[in-house]
Amino acid sequence: MHDRSARTRGIALTERQRIAWLRLIRSDNVGPVTFRELINHFGSAETALEMLPELSRRGGASRVIRVASQAEAERELDLADRHGATFVGIGEPDYPPLLRQIVGAPPLLAVKGNLNVASAPAVGIVGARNASISGMKFAGLLAREIGRAGYSIVSGLARGIDTAAHRASLDTGTIAAMAGGLDKPYPPENIGLLGEMTDGQGLAISEMPFGWEPRARDFPRRNRLIAGMALGLVVVEAAVRSGSLITARNAADFGRLVFAVPGSPLDMRCEGTNGLLKDGATITTTADDVLESLRPLSEPDLFTPRPHAGEPPEDTPPALRLPPSDGERERIAEALSQVPAEIDEVIRHTGIAAATVYLVLLELDLAGRLQRHGNGGVSLTPE
Amino acid sequence: MHDRSARTRGIALTERQRIAWLRLIRSDNVGPVTFRELINHFGSAETALEMLPELSRRGGASRVIRVASQAEAERELDLADRHGATFVGIGEPDYPPLLRQIVGAPPLLAVKGNLNVASAPAVGIVGARNASISGMKFAGLLAREIGRAGYSIVSGLARGIDTAAHRASLDTGTIAAMAGGLDKPYPPENIGLLGEMTDGQGLAISEMPFGWEPRARDFPRRNRLIAGMALGLVVVEAAVRSGSLITARNAADFGRLVFAVPGSPLDMRCEGTNGLLKDGATITTTADDVLESLRPLSEPDLFTPRPHAGEPPEDTPPALRLPPSDGERERIAEALSQVPAEIDEVIRHTGIAAATVYLVLLELDLAGRLQRHGNGGVSLTPE
């Protein structure tokens, strides 16, 4: 099941590219989607970095955006190195293969531990922090059996179900997606478990720099990483309006299978999972329920990187274009509102060439005036 | 929701017919299906009673079958009367309307208590005898809310879930289907609950005579009564291979909705219910889950008796037919085996007129040589 040949696929970044990628993703107003747009437009992170101030100025930024310096990126790489961590780019062989398929996949992941587990097909197991004894026991049982069947177990290193799932898959391969930096587990008490993972058959991943304390708003992105890495996601005990349900929603949006463990209607910790079952999640009372559903999806070709995922080799000429005219810029800005519209609609509505529309949107984005939505829509940031 | 006009539908039996029906169903080798065949053939129970010895002799009975006497039937009616019970025939207005639609519906039911609850749409609630506290609590909660919504609650008067369901619907209308006689509750400790039911808004029903101690083999028939009366059946806690799952299977076979309450995969008492969910039962964590599914099915016209359910008024000439020839009887017996065949196949295979085939099958049936199967098939009884 674990397809070793996948590790030889993909294109490794040069060190120079890696530094440019890190600078670009750490610069103001550059998120994963904007990052990809910039690479698509300018052919490389280095060229994009050169264009950033000019683009944001053209987009109407009130002040020049901060571009991460070469020195900062080198310091972050050094720090990672001293922690025994590295950065993996989205087109590289060690990048989790399913994660690269989601909208907004991080261009660079800080990773620490055994990278082999990232290329195995993965199953997410998440759930309540205040889990019941029986819920933790069952999460462990699932993680153990699904792990033995050749899957990596992905979870969020939280208390309760997450902890039980990681612990039970320490020997077979477990991946923690973290909301803060790799040195900032939440809850802090899980620092020991994190060490056991990264010293053994486990892997920890994060989008954030070392030293980053996770804030509430970082957890939804962590949840997307879990859902994005997993072929299927199992929710074991979850209250209504819990993070686990957001992860399940993400998984469903990514076209991944969602499994839920049933529980008593009188236990609040099962309201979320029972609700998922009502919405069509696969009822899970044994590891086989998961394994049998996943078997047809675990074919090796799913783990092939998609061709557009990486950056072309350094010598490819960047696809530079003339800047848009002020008139074009104005028409595009007028076509937008705070109600999301699809980019294709903007192109049709304005009659301006697609490449130009994309570039103007990039400018607005870097100026902090554009919001990008999960489905590819764009809207203006409320003033 | 409770359609009072249903009570005015159907045709009441005369006292003479009622005695004849009771004699016929209490005679040897006459079950509900054979009873219906006999009425269809001979037009009335009285004529069928006259024909019984002759039919069974022609069918090859080794000894003449016992026909219940007029005196016996009168004694049973007297006994019922002294217990405050009556007998309701399948075509009569007080017969539970959905029960009359199932194959093998009892032609006569002994009933005691408030007959109004039989004509309301009903929901079955059944489950484990060794139920958990939480399971009993939830069964009570469902019964209370579904009862308040206008449904009668049907169950089996067993320990555990059944008891909780009956108790919680004492005020709104509850029906106990019993495996033994109306004076023989199982477990015996539920005699008090039974009394509370029949003295108040409850009803007890049984196919069996007063004084009949329920045996293990009587419970599957009791389960069919529960499933047959209910528009939907809710299973709350059930182990694998439990009676509640048989009731659920019956309900599904009758085209009724099956609901199951989810529970922990680590609790044996939830294996059966979780299994039902895997098989497509509707997950139930609130009474509304049941009520919303049933609403479109609770239209009054479902509660109209089907025209063929009763016996025509006494003066209708019975459809007597000439006895089959020995040759025909032999060809039909030869066409049968211990492997069930459909009656239409027997007709096609032998080329004998349908009416004659049905009559020969009745003879064999009454002689104890024929077995009838749920799907309308027939086979020879192993010698």
Side-chain angles (χ1 to χ4, degrees), chain B residues 36 40 90 100-101 305-311:
Chain B
R36 176 164 285 188
N40 285 346
I90 194 167
R100 61 163 75 88
Q101 301 182 2
R306 295 206 299 190
H308 69 281
E311 178 171 344

Side-chain angles (χ1 to χ4, degrees), chain A residues 74-209:
Chain A
E74 284 173 356
R75 261 201 307 280
E76 192 175 344
L77 284 170
D78 276 356
L79 191 60
D81 193 48
R82 272 185 281 129
H83 275 94
T86 51
F87 286 90
V88 180
I90 195 169
E92 295 193 292
D94 282 330
Y95 195 92
L98 287 175
L99 183 60
R100 61 163 76 88
Q101 300 182 1
I102 74 168
V103 173
L108 275 180
L109 279 177
V111 297
K112 182 176 175 186
N114 179 358
L115 275 163
N116 284 325
V117 301
S119 48
V123 170
I125 299 181
V126 298
R129 289 190 297 273
N130 66 338
S132 70
I133 294 170
S134 140
M136 294 199 47
K137 195 168 151 187
F138 191 66
L141 190 150
L142 284 182
R144 196 166 302 113
E145 295 192 19
I146 295 171
R148 282 187 191 144
Y151 292 89
S152 296
I153 301 298
V154 184
S155 195
L157 203 66
R159 282 196 187 91
I161 299 298
D162 289 19
T163 294
H166 286 306
R167 283 224 167 274
S169 54
L170 279 172
D171 293 340
T172 51
T174 193
I175 306 179
M178 295 174 62
L182 286 180
D183 54 343
K184 297 289 177 185
Y186 183 85
E189 73 206 41
N190 266 348
I191 189 105
L193 172 58
L194 178 62
E196 285 183 68
M197 291 175 65
T198 55
D199 292 347
Q201 296 305 308
L203 181 71
I205 72 166
S206 172
E207 294 183 66
M208 308 310 280

Side-chain angles (χ1 to χ4, degrees), chain B residues 43-55:
Chain B
S44 74
E46 283 194 310
T47 311
L49 282 166
E50 284 167 25
M51 297 297 292
L52 277 189
E54 163 73 4
L55 287 168

Side-chain angles (χ1 to χ4, degrees), chain A residues 316-349:
Chain A
T316 305
L320 276 171
R321 293 183 185 92
L322 288 177
S325 72
D326 285 348
E328 286 169 331
R329 198 171 282 125
E330 206 168 299
R331 275 157 59 206
I332 291 167
E334 275 173 10
L336 297 170
S337 74
Q338 290 180 24
V339 179
E342 287 181 28
I343 297 176
D344 278 356
E345 290 178 307
V346 180
I347 295 166
R348 277 198 303 275
H349 180 82

Side-chain angles (χ1 to χ4, degrees), chain A residues 133-135 137-138 141 261-266 273-275 277-278 283-286 289, chain B residues 133-135 137-138 141 261-266 273-275 277-278 283-286 289:
Chain A
I133 294 170
S134 140
K137 195 168 151 187
F138 191 66
L141 190 150
V261 177
S264 165
L266 297 179
T273 40
N274 287 336
L277 293 175
K278 289 184 185 178
I283 183 169
T284 301
T285 63
T286 65
D289 291 331
Chain B
I133 293 169
S134 140
K137 194 168 152 189
F138 191 67
L141 190 151
V261 177
S264 165
L266 297 178
T273 41
N274 286 337
L277 293 174
K278 289 184 185 178
I283 182 168
T284 301
T285 64
T286 66
D289 291 331

Side-chain angles (χ1 to χ4, degrees), chain B residues 20-269:
Chain B
W21 277 41
L22 189 55
R23 287 182 62 196
L24 188 56
I25 192 64
R26 296 287 187 245
S27 294
D28 277 2
N29 295 352
V30 179
V33 174
T34 308
F35 184 100
R36 176 164 285 188
E37 291 287 320
L38 286 166
I39 298 280
N40 285 346
H41 263 270
F42 298 104
S44 74
E46 283 194 310
T47 311
L49 282 166
E50 284 167 25
M51 297 297 292
L52 277 189
E54 163 73 4
L55 287 168
S56 68
R57 194 191 50 71
R58 289 191 336 220
S62 45
R63 53 184 181 79
V64 174
I65 61 170
R66 208 189 60 84
V67 176
S69 69
Q70 177 88 9
E72 283 175 88
E74 285 173 355
R75 261 201 307 279
E76 192 174 345
L77 284 170
D78 276 355
L79 191 60
D81 194 48
R82 272 185 282 129
H83 275 93
T86 51
F87 285 90
V88 180
I90 194 167
E92 296 193 291
D94 283 329
Y95 195 93
L98 287 176
L99 182 60
R100 61 163 75 88
Q101 301 182 2
I102 74 167
V103 173
L108 274 180
L109 279 177
V111 297
K112 182 176 177 187
N114 178 357
L115 275 164
N116 284 327
V117 301
S119 48
V123 170
I125 298 181
V126 299
R129 289 190 297 272
N130 67 337
S132 70
I133 293 169
S134 140
M136 294 200 48
K137 194 168 152 189
F138 191 67
L141 190 151
L142 284 182
R144 195 167 303 112
E145 296 192 17
I146 295 171
R148 282 187 190 143
Y151 292 89
S152 295
I153 301 297
V154 184
S155 195
L157 202 67
R159 283 197 186 91
I161 299 299
D162 289 19
T163 294
H166 286 305
R167 283 224 167 273
S169 53
L170 278 173
D171 294 339
T172 51
T174 193
I175 307 179
M178 295 173 63
L182 286 179
D183 55 343
K184 296 290 178 185
Y186 183 86
E189 72 206 42
N190 266 349
I191 191 108
L193 173 58
L194 178 62
E196 285 183 69
M197 292 174 63
T198 54
D199 292 346
Q201 297 304 310
L203 181 71
I205 71 166
S206 172
E207 293 183 67
M208 307 310 281
F210 274 88
W212 186 275
E213 292 282 358
R215 304 152 305 173
R217 54 186 272 200
D218 294 321
F219 287 90
R221 288 174 70 174
R222 187 273 313 255
N223 294 341
R224 282 173 67 87
L225 293 184
I226 297 171
M229 279 189 279
L231 203 49
L233 181 83
V234 189
V235 186
V236 186
E237 290 189 347
V240 287
R241 281 180 292 282
S242 61
S244 303
L245 295 191
I246 295 173
T247 311
R249 165 64 60 92
N250 287 336
D253 288 347
F254 302 158
R256 312 297 163 78
L257 294 184
V258 179
F259 301 86
V261 177
S264 165
L266 297 178
D267 189 336
M268 301 275 284
R269 288 170 295 205

